[in-house]
Amino acid sequence: MKTDPMSGADDASPEVLALAKVVARLRAEVAELEGLAATTAVLERAKGVLMARDGLTADAAYEALAAAAALRGRTLMEECWIVLGGIRSRPHPAQAAPATPLTGGGEPPPGGGPVFGPGRPAAARGEAPWHGLLAGLAASLAGARSPQDTAGILRAALRVPLGVEGVMIYRLDEAGRLGLIGHAGIDAVLAAQWQDVPPMSGVAAVEVIASGEPRWLQDPERDAEDYRLIGPPQRWPTRAWLPVPGEERVSGAIGFLRTVPDPFDAAHRALLIQAVRLCGGSLRVLERHADGPADEEVAAVQKIFDVLSGAAILLSPLRSPTGEVEDYRIEAAAPESVDVAGRRGKELVGRRVLETYPTIAGTTLWHGYLDALETGSAYEGEPFSYREVVAGIPETSLYSVRATRLSGRLVVSWIRHDAGVREASRLAAVQRLGNLGWADWNLTTDTVNWSEQVYAIFDRPPEQGPMTLEELPRHLVPDDLPALAEAVRRLLGEGAPIDQPFRITTDDGVRHLRIVAEAETDAFGAPVEVHGFFQDLSQQRDAELALRESERAVLVQRGVLKAERAIAARLQHALLPVPEQSIELVGLRVDIAYMPSDTGVNVGGDWYSAIELPDGSALFVVGDVAGHGLDAVGTMAQLRFTAKGMIITGSALPDAMARLNTLLLHTAAGVSSAATATMIMARYWPAERRLAWVRAGHPPPVLVRGGEARFLPQPEGILLGACADSVYAQETLELEPGDHLLLYTDGLIEVPGESMDRGLVRLAEAAAEAMGGGTEEPLARLLAELRPAGRDDVCVLDIRVPPC
C-alpha cells in the first residue's frame, strides 16, 4: 500500500507533519492559481463576444456576464462557455444529448463518421477542438439538479472523445469519511461497496482532497500496489481523480474511469481539469450542505463578537483524513482583535493559524488548543512570547490566551501585554531622535512631570527632579527672559498656546531651546494644567549660522570673481585688440578671431601676435597660457611682449623659445603653482615666400593647398615652463599663392571625452571644405562648423598668400 505522502520521516513530530501539510497545500493552491490564470483567456473572449454583439464596453461586458451567471445560478466560467458556444437555452439533464465527436475544426469529417471513436480517444490538440464540447458541457451542467445529474452529464460529454465510461463524485465530511454522492457508468453493487469510505491511506480520492492535486493512474499493475482500486484493474486501465474546487477549500473529488489503456496526454488533462471546474455551479450545493448549519452558527457568533469589547476569534479545526487536527481556520473575529502584524477584525477571518502564525506549531498554546477541543475544559495558559517577521522586521509580543470549546470549535480570547511598552518605546525613540521631551505642570498641586529627554536637554541630573516654572528663569540667558515671561503670562493668564524660543546656560555652554505648550482650564476658564514639550535646537542653530556664514562667503567670493573678471577682460582687451577686418601684412592677408570661454571666468590666456619686423619680414605667434583670470592674462602679457622684443633684437626662433621657457621657470620660482604655456612662433620672408617656425607643445599648423588640408611636421619642443633643459628645433616651409596657413589654440579641436586625434581629423576636414571653396569669409565658416558654445577659449590666425 502507498504510504501517506505527507508523512515524511517516520520519526517526524505531529507539529512538523502539520507544517509540511500546510506547505504542500500552499503549493497546490499555487498550482491551482496557475491553472486559473489559463481561464482568463476564456473570460476575455466571452467579453469580446458581448462587446461586438451588444456594443458594450469591457467593464459593461464583464458586469453582464456576472449578472447573468448570478441570475441563472451559474458560475462565471459556465456563463462564459455558454456565450462562446452560442447556446441560448439550458436543456434539462434528462434531455441532454451526448457530445458529438469533434474534428480538428469542430465539424464532422467529410465522410460523416467520427474522427475519434469510443476506443480511440482524442489526440493532443490545441484549445479550439474542445471549444464546442466545453460550451455544451457548461450549458448542461448549469441545469444539473443533483450530483447524480452532474455525474451523468460528465459521462455523456466525455465518453466519446476521451473514452470515459465511469464517473464517481465524492465529498469529504468533517470526520474525514468519503461519501459517494453521484456516479454514472458504475453498477449498483460496486457503488454500494464504495458508498462510504472510512479514513484510510491508499485511496486516490482521499489524497486528491488532502493535497488539492490530481492523480493520474495509468499503469494498472503499479497502481494496484499503491492504491485501493475501485473494481478490477483491467476493467478501467486508466483513471483520473481531480479535486473539486470549493469556495474556500477542496471538499470533494471526481473520478473518471476509462476503458482506454492509452495514458492521459496534455490535452486530455487540460480538458478534464476544465470540465471539473465547470462543475462548480452544480456542486456548490455540496459546500452549502456541508457548511450550511455551521454558517448559521458562525453568523450567530459573529453577531456577538461585533458588540464585544476586547480580542476574540472563533476557530474551526481542520482535520486530516484520519481525523487528526492539522490546522485551524478563523471563522469570526471581534473588531478589537489585532495580531502582531497589525491585522484587525474581519481581516483575520478566513486565515489559517499555521499559515499565518507558523511558529505556534508544537508550542504549549497549540497543545492547549487540542486539549480544550478534545476535553471541553477551558485552556488558560501562562503569558507567552510570540515572534514574527513583518516586512523583514522581527516583531515580538507577549500574550495571555484563553480557549473554550463551542460546538466543536474554539472561542479564543487574548490580552496583549506589550502594547503599552511598545508605544512607550516608540515615544522614547521619537523624543531621542527629535531631541525633544514632554513636560506636564499641574497648577493645582504644583507638581511637574518630565520625560527623560527633558533632563538631557537641560543637562540636569534626574535625581534632582524636574524644575518648576519659577525655577526656569534662573537658567535663562538674561536677554531672553522678558520674551519668555510674556509668553508664560499669556499661557497662564489667557490660556493662549505658546511657541517660544529661548536660550539657557549649561556647563557645556549656551543651548538654544524651544517651548511649545498649551493650558487646560476648569469650568471657570482658569488654567489648571499645562502640557507641552521642550526641544533642543542648538544643532539646528549651529547649522543655520554655518549656512549663513557660507552664504556670506559665497557672496564675497562671487563679488571678487566678478571684479577679477571685469579687470581681466579690460586688461586683455587693452593688451590684445582683435581687428574687425582682415589686415595686410608683408603681402599676406591675415584674418584673426578670438572667442573667450562661455562658462566660468571667461578671460583666459589664449593670445596672438602678428607684426612686421624692421627687416621687412613678419612675425606670427599663437600661444595658450594654462588657466584663466588675472594670472593667465599677466603671464600672457609677459610672453607676448618678450617674444616680440627678442625677435626684433635679432634672436633666432629656437633661441627666443628657449629664453621664454627660462622666463617662465624663473617666474615660477618660489610660487606654489608654476605657470606653463604652449606656443608657436613663425617668421615669414616675403621675397622667398619662406616660413620658418618653432613650437613648444602646441598643436601643429594646418596648411590648406589646392583644396586639401594637411598638418605640418612637428619639430621637437615641449611646453614652456615644464623643464629647464628643453630643446626647440626649427622647421621651414615655402608657401605658394592661394595657400592658407592656420595657427590656432587647442580650444578649436578639444571636445570633452574625445581624443585629440579625432579633433585634428575634424579640423582638417572642415578647413579643406571652408578654405578650399573660395568663400569670402572662410575663417568665420570654419569657426561656425567646429566650435559649439561652452568650449574653451579659442584664438585662430588665418594667414593667406594671395593668388598671383
Side-chain angles (χ1 to χ4, degrees), residues 392-464:
I393 301 174
E395 297 280 358
T396 303
S397 297
L398 190 66
Y399 294 92
S400 291
V401 179
R402 187 176 192 276
T404 306
R405 188 173 70 182
L406 175 65
S407 299
R409 293 177 173 81
L410 289 178
V411 175
V412 178
S413 59
W414 68 87
I415 298 175
R416 185 172 176 178
H417 300 288
D418 64 317
V421 175
R422 179 172 297 177
E423 293 301 323
S425 175
R426 290 174 177 171
L427 179 59
V430 170
Q431 294 183 76
R432 184 182 67 259
L433 296 174
N435 204 3
L436 57 85
W438 57 264
D440 291 331
W441 293 272
N442 189 313
L443 304 180
T444 303
T445 61
D446 196 23
T447 57
V448 182
N449 289 317
W450 275 6
S451 67
E452 293 184 3
Q453 192 64 26
V454 179
Y455 290 100
I457 291 173
F458 279 88
D459 195 19
R460 183 181 178 93
E463 56 269 17
Q464 293 185 7

Side-chain angles (χ1 to χ4, degrees), residues 466-497:
M467 68 178 68
T468 63
L469 284 176
E470 291 76 15
E471 295 180 75
L472 187 58
R474 295 201 296 266
H475 299 273
L476 263 66
V477 172
D479 292 345
D480 295 345
L481 182 58
L484 183 60
E486 175 61 21
V488 173
R489 186 197 64 76
R490 293 197 311 271
L491 175 68
L492 301 180
E494 305 171 8

Side-chain angles (χ1 to χ4, degrees), residues 264-427:
F264 296 92
D265 60 20
H268 299 161
R269 297 186 181 196
L271 175 58
L272 289 178
I273 291 173
Q274 291 280 16
V276 172
R277 287 180 182 150
L278 291 177
C279 295
S282 60
L283 294 181
R284 262 200 302 261
V285 64
L286 303 181
E287 292 292 324
R288 289 195 294 268
H289 176 74
D291 298 334
D295 289 344
E296 296 178 2
E297 295 177 2
V298 169
V301 173
Q302 184 63 61
K303 288 182 180 179
I304 298 174
F305 280 177
D306 289 340
V307 296
L308 185 68
S309 61
I313 57 175
L314 179 67
L315 297 182
S316 288
L318 303 177
R319 299 181 181 273
S320 68
T322 58
E324 297 176 353
V325 176
E326 292 183 330
D327 204 345
Y328 297 90
R329 184 175 61 248
I330 302 175
E331 302 283 9
E336 295 183 12
S337 304
V338 184
D339 67 2
V340 68
R343 294 175 287 252
R344 179 183 299 272
K346 295 296 180 62
E347 294 178 347
L348 300 172
V349 175
R351 295 183 177 273
R352 300 193 178 200
V353 171
L354 288 185
E355 289 179 12
T356 312
Y357 319 105
T359 57
I360 288 179
T363 63
T364 303
L365 178 65
W366 179 261
H367 294 296
Y369 283 177
L370 293 176
D371 185 67
L373 191 62
E374 293 175 1
T375 66
S377 59
Y379 164 75
E380 293 190 29
E382 295 294 329
F384 77 100
S385 178
Y386 176 75
R387 183 180 179 87
E388 179 176 331
V389 177
V390 180
I393 301 174
E395 297 280 358
T396 303
S397 297
L398 190 66
Y399 294 92
S400 291
V401 179
R402 187 176 192 276
T404 306
R405 188 173 70 182
L406 175 65
S407 299
R409 293 177 173 81
L410 289 178
V411 175
V412 178
S413 59
W414 68 87
I415 298 175
R416 185 172 176 178
H417 300 288
D418 64 317
V421 175
R422 179 172 297 177
E423 293 301 323
S425 175
R426 290 174 177 171
L427 179 59

Side-chain angles (χ1 to χ4, degrees), residues 704-754:
V704 181
R705 177 178 293 172
E708 295 183 359
R710 64 181 178 90
F711 293 100
L712 298 184
Q714 301 189 62
E716 181 181 1
I718 64 173
L719 77 164
L720 303 177
C723 180
D725 56 354
S726 299
V727 176
Y728 299 94
Q730 176 177 296
E731 289 285 344
T732 59
L733 171 71
E734 290 187 6
L735 298 180
E736 299 178 1
D739 284 352
H740 285 265
L741 183 68
L742 290 179
L743 306 180
Y744 55 92
T745 56
D746 57 7
L748 189 64
I749 57 174
E750 284 188 344
V751 174
E754 185 178 86

Side-chain angles (χ1 to χ4, degrees), residues 66 117 141 157 170 182 239 306 324 357 468 501 544 554 692 694 724 797:
L141 289 173
Y170 279 100
R239 310 162 186 237
D306 289 340
E324 297 176 353
Y357 319 105
T468 63
E544 290 176 2
V554 169
V694 294
L797 267 67

Side-chain angles (χ1 to χ4, degrees), residues 624-767:
D624 184 1
V625 177
H628 290 78
L630 287 175
D631 290 341
V633 173
T635 302
M636 175 268 290
Q638 276 188 316
L639 294 176
R640 185 169 185 265
F641 291 116
T642 304
K644 283 184 181 181
M646 286 190 293
I647 299 302
I648 290 175
T649 56
S651 296
L653 293 179
D655 295 338
M657 192 72 82
R659 293 190 181 105
L660 290 175
N661 180 59
T662 303
L663 173 66
L664 282 191
L665 290 172
H666 175 74
T667 304
V671 181
S672 58
S673 59
T676 59
T678 65
M679 184 188 300
I680 282 184
M681 284 195 298
R683 188 169 184 178
Y684 177 73
W685 289 272
E688 302 91 0
R689 290 204 296 266
R690 181 168 56 89
L691 180 80
W693 64 287
V694 294
R695 61 178 286 273
H698 205 80
V702 178
L703 176 64
V704 181
R705 177 178 293 172
E708 295 183 359
R710 64 181 178 90
F711 293 100
L712 298 184
Q714 301 189 62
E716 181 181 1
I718 64 173
L719 77 164
L720 303 177
C723 180
D725 56 354
S726 299
V727 176
Y728 299 94
Q730 176 177 296
E731 289 285 344
T732 59
L733 171 71
E734 290 187 6
L735 298 180
E736 299 178 1
D739 284 352
H740 285 265
L741 183 68
L742 290 179
L743 306 180
Y744 55 92
T745 56
D746 57 7
L748 189 64
I749 57 174
E750 284 188 344
V751 174
E754 185 178 86
S755 67
M756 181 74 76
D757 291 340
R758 176 58 189 151
L760 292 172
V761 171
R762 187 172 53 251
L763 170 60
E765 294 173 351

